[in-house]
Amino acid sequence: DTGVSQNPRHKITKRGQNVTFRCDPISEHNRLYWYRQTLGQGPEFLTYFQNEAQLEKSRLLSDRFSAERPKGSFSTLEIQRTEQGDSAMYLCASSSPPGQPQHFGDGTRLSIL
Amino acid sequence: AQKVTQAQTEISVVEKEDVTLDCVYETRDTTYYLFWYKQPPSGELVFLIRRNSFDEQNEISGRYSWNFQKSTSSFNFTITASQVVDSAVYFCALSEPAQGAQKLVFGQGTRLTINP
């Protein structure tokens, strides 16, 4: 069990640029989640995959956001035309059977200049 | 609708004091799970405990204990003989299996500072 891995740890970009983050879940976990955490707040759910299928998306996930999980392994989260309000920590988590705890990666901190 | 409230934004105590972090939740489901996570200054969320709605037994793990009371919709967390290493932000979270994704709904967190 090597844990959930996220890359990059930090991303600084100019407003309007596109960014992509990667998450590698714990290998035996078939469920993968993305959350966003802003300063002083708890994480907020963005989207969820079971294997390769994206089964739920939050209303927080605007059209500029897209997530994929090809082959049910790693996942990517892309933000197009970034805005100041996108600055946050993006967290990935994975889990296995229902009700089991989600294990989180270290997150990717996005800063929009 | 799901909601988790952690009314204590910040708590500061002196080392070796006991401290209790409060968590109140709202749900319409009869089956749900409650969690506590710790987020130290380094940023990663560390899982501490999971409790399902049918198990109201309190739990103790070393200096940590949890008090689950369905009657008051509370799931409080107590640290006994606190240590400086306990300083972190602590989050209470709720998930509802019937809702499909079993996403976690987090409270706003309680920042705990243990002073030497």
Side-chain angles (χ1 to χ4, degrees):
Chain A
D1 180 352
T2 57
V4 177
S5 175
Q6 290 189 247
N7 288 289
R9 290 295 309 276
H10 303 276
K11 180 71 177 178
I12 301 173
T13 192
K14 293 181 179 179
R15 185 166 51 94
Q17 297 295 305
N18 298 343
V19 294
T20 300
F21 311 139
R22 177 177 170 127
C23 171
D24 288 89
I26 293 171
S27 57
E28 60 267 29
H29 288 178
N30 64 344
R31 294 164 182 248
L32 186 147
Y33 304 78
W34 285 98
Y35 293 83
R36 180 171 69 187
Q37 185 179 21
T38 53
L39 206 58
Q41 303 295 318
E44 295 175 294
F45 170 77
L46 292 179
T47 190
Y48 156 70
F49 290 85
Q50 186 167 323
N51 299 312
E52 66 275 9
Q54 187 175 20
L55 298 183
E56 185 170 341
K57 292 195 290 186
S58 162
R59 280 170 288 185
L60 290 175
L61 216 63
S62 76
D63 291 345
R64 297 184 298 105
F65 288 70
S66 62
E68 295 182 341
R69 192 183 182 196
K71 302 178 184 177
S73 56
F74 71 92
S75 175
T76 57
L77 177 68
E78 181 183 16
I79 309 174
Q80 296 182 326
R81 304 181 304 282
T82 52
E83 301 174 355
Q84 290 284 347
D86 297 332
S87 294
M89 175 77 86
Y90 289 84
L91 295 164
C92 176
S94 69
S95 71
S96 48
Q100 291 300 311
Q102 295 178 24
H103 295 272
F104 285 80
D106 290 342
T108 294
R109 183 170 296 284
L110 175 64
S111 299
I112 308 297
L113 301 178
Chain B
Q2 309 163 287
K3 186 177 179 183
V4 175
T5 301
Q6 295 179 255
Q8 305 150 308
T9 306
E10 293 190 33
I11 299 175
S12 181
V13 301
V14 176
E15 201 172 18
K16 298 183 184 175
E17 285 186 23
D18 299 346
V19 58
T20 296
L21 310 182
D22 297 335
C23 172
V24 174
Y25 62 92
E26 294 177 30
T27 176
R28 281 182 277 197
D29 284 6
T30 55
T31 302
Y32 52 89
Y33 295 94
L34 294 164
F35 303 81
W36 275 95
Y37 283 84
K38 174 182 180 179
Q39 190 172 43
S42 50
E44 77 278 17
L45 276 163
V46 178
F47 165 73
L48 295 178
I49 190 172
R50 178 194 67 149
R51 174 67 70 216
N52 75 54
S53 53
F54 298 109
D55 181 3
E56 286 193 74
Q57 262 193 322
N58 292 329
E59 181 156 340
I60 298 174
S61 176
R63 296 183 297 106
Y64 295 172
S65 62
W66 291 269
N67 183 345
F68 176 29
Q69 292 195 333
K70 286 177 78 169
S71 60
T72 55
S73 297
S74 66
F75 186 43
N76 296 337
F77 173 30
T78 297
I79 302 175
T80 304
S82 59
Q83 299 176 2
V84 172
V85 294
D86 296 326
S87 297
V89 181
Y90 290 85
F91 291 98
C92 180
L94 166 72
S95 76
E96 299 170 334
Q99 303 307 316
Q102 298 181 42
K103 62 191 176 191
L104 292 172
V105 174
F106 285 86
Q108 288 197 297
T110 297
R111 179 177 299 278
L112 177 64
T113 302
I114 310 297
N115 299 298

